[in-house]
Amino acid sequence: MLQIKNLNTCLHLGLIVMLIGCQQTGNQKTNISQEAAEAEVSIQDAQAYSLTAQDSAFLNSLIKDLNGIDKFFVKNSYKRLQVILEKKDNQNTPKVHEILENVSTNEPDYYIEKYMPKNGYLAYTPGPVEVFIDMVYWNVSDGSQLIATQLTAMGDQPSISFEKHTSGTFKKVESLIPDVATLSDKLVPGYSPDNSEEEFVFKLPIEGKDLRFCVDGSEDNCLILEWNDGTFVLKE
């Protein structure tokens, strides 16, 4: 897990967001606040770039051709598109780099740490703040996909969000799992963020479909959130 060196600047993920005012004192473990989440700066949408119509059409055609976790990571971000094409050693990478070379953007640099497209899994870090973000998706029987994105940072409770993708449209989904405080107390009875040493993490599935909530550093001390075609059931 990575350490935030300056906790006056934090990241929260609806997608990837840069936030201000997330503080931590002493050894307190804090949740990334809802107020901070409201102040998010989204990834820069394709329409915000100043490009020629020809260049925009070319980049949009590449985005349209993406599938699976590539599509869900990139969404409408040309900068993320460039990162994915570089990772795949795609033949269009030099042209995309040339188009975007002198384009300003408010997005951070992205560094892909794990890339397992056949498993629907991708993990990355955004600079300059040192956090770890991973994401995975599940296919749902109605033809949609459910995408989970987790942000992990030293000293903070894990932050996980869900979106549903249906025919090119993304919609945030709430209340699919119990909140972190409930899960923490169930896993470690009497857990208190002020007085307990444990830290927690969601284990997104690379193999299988179930989501796990674990004491960080443990493979065995976990709760199982069983996949149930678009929802999760806490396994007793």
Side-chain angles (χ1 to χ4, degrees), residues 112-144:
I112 295 180
E113 306 291 341
K114 292 183 182 179
Y115 181 60
M116 306 175 72
K118 291 182 179 179
N119 301 78
Y121 179 88
L122 182 151
Y124 66 100
T125 55
V129 180
E130 294 180 6
V131 296
F132 181 82
I133 299 161
D134 58 340
M135 57 192 303
V136 70
Y137 78 95
W138 297 261
N139 290 314
V140 186
S141 62
D142 63 4
S144 66

Side-chain angles (χ1 to χ4, degrees), residues 60-224:
N60 289 337
S61 70
L62 296 178
I63 289 177
K64 187 177 180 180
D65 288 341
L66 295 176
N67 293 300
I69 199 66
D70 297 349
K71 177 190 290 290
F72 305 139
F73 170 72
V74 171
K75 288 196 169 177
N76 283 327
S77 167
Y78 290 156
K79 189 164 187 178
R80 290 189 178 205
L81 171 66
Q82 182 177 349
V83 171
I84 279 291
L85 295 181
E86 288 173 352
K87 188 67 179 179
K88 297 167 72 73
D89 197 23
N90 185 279
Q91 63 181 1
N92 291 302
T93 301
K95 184 174 180 180
V96 172
H97 178 77
E98 181 182 352
I99 291 172
L100 299 180
E101 187 173 12
N102 297 314
V103 175
S104 62
T105 172
N106 61 1
E107 290 187 70
D109 293 323
Y110 301 105
Y111 305 95
I112 295 180
E113 306 291 341
K114 292 183 182 179
Y115 181 60
M116 306 175 72
K118 291 182 179 179
N119 301 78
Y121 179 88
L122 182 151
Y124 66 100
T125 55
V129 180
E130 294 180 6
V131 296
F132 181 82
I133 299 161
D134 58 340
M135 57 192 303
V136 70
Y137 78 95
W138 297 261
N139 290 314
V140 186
S141 62
D142 63 4
S144 66
Q145 295 82 37
L146 182 72
I147 307 126
T149 304
Q150 175 184 211
L151 181 150
T152 311
M154 184 70 74
D156 285 322
Q157 298 283 25
S159 173
I160 191 168
S161 61
F162 296 92
E163 290 180 290
K164 194 168 186 179
H165 173 262
T166 308
S167 302
T169 300
F170 293 88
K171 183 178 180 181
K172 192 172 181 179
V173 182
E174 305 280 2
S175 305
L176 285 184
I177 59 174
D179 61 34
V180 169
T182 300
L183 293 172
S184 301
D185 187 65
K186 192 170 185 65
L187 190 57
V188 180
Y191 171 81
S192 166
D194 296 334
N195 302 312
S196 301
E197 294 298 321
E198 293 87 353
E199 294 180 355
F200 303 95
V201 65
F202 287 97
K203 303 272 190 176
L204 304 187
I206 296 176
E207 300 289 343
K209 294 186 176 182
D210 296 340
L211 184 65
R212 293 187 297 156
F213 181 80
C214 304
V215 173
D216 191 29
S218 171
E219 292 296 326
D220 301 318
N221 194 5
C222 301
L223 297 174
I224 306 298

